[in-house]
Amino acid sequence: MGVRPPVLRGWDPPATTYGRGHRGVDLGAPPEAVVRAVAAGRVSFAGRVAGRGVVSVELAGTGTPALRTTYEPVRASVREGEAVTAGQVVGTLETAATRSHCGSGCLHWGLLRERTYLNPLLLLPPWLRDGGPPRLLPVLGVPMPKD
């Protein structure tokens, strides 16, 4: 379905509703990169907000009110009301807008339940979110210990 993008900036919830913080995660991606839905659902918004393209998907089977993911800055290839499947392309990363938020290019990925922001990385399985179990590898040039 694609590659695992690096997390350039993690989720940093604000102390108050309107306080400073980072209400999502920034995933490293080049301009024009394909953006895919993280899970199945229905597009609840596809348009521009403050000059940036935004796609929002209400996730199926996540309770009432449903969880909603947001992707920006994205040039949408889906329309409001359209059903999407996990991994389906919802748009492409906008070129000019990617520099203003991250400097080099990124996708801002958010997760909400109503107006409460949540960590979107929690949608990923632990093995993908945490990078998997630790592995000890030999270090070149360092002799192995003797019994």
Side-chain angles (χ1 to χ4, degrees):
M1 287 269 175
V3 297
R4 178 180 164 181
V7 175
L8 302 178
R9 183 174 176 197
W11 186 66
D12 181 20
T16 63
T17 303
Y18 300 105
R20 292 176 56 118
H22 194 235
R23 294 163 174 84
V25 296
D26 292 338
L27 304 175
E32 305 300 321
V34 170
V35 177
R36 299 177 184 275
V38 70
R42 186 162 305 280
V43 177
S44 56
F45 180 82
R48 301 202 69 77
V49 175
R52 298 164 66 123
V54 177
V55 173
S56 184
V57 177
E58 191 171 283
L59 304 181
T62 58
T64 304
L67 290 172
R68 191 173 72 242
T69 55
T70 58
Y71 309 86
E72 70 172 275
V74 173
R75 185 178 316 105
S77 61
V78 292
R79 295 177 188 254
E80 192 170 319
E82 184 177 333
V84 296
T85 58
Q88 180 178 333
V89 174
V90 296
T92 56
L93 202 56
E94 290 181 342
T95 307
T98 58
R99 290 184 197 86
S100 65
H101 187 73
C102 300
S104 62
C106 73
L107 171 74
H108 181 82
W109 177 36
L111 176 66
L112 300 100
R113 185 175 304 273
E114 285 191 320
R115 292 182 173 193
T116 302
Y117 286 89
L118 305 167
N119 183 353
L121 294 176
L122 295 176
L123 292 174
L124 302 177
W127 62 268
L128 184 58
R129 178 176 62 235
D130 300 333
R135 293 181 177 32
L136 297 177
L137 300 173
V139 178
L140 298 176
V142 175
M144 295 294 292
K146 297 182 181 183
D147 292 329

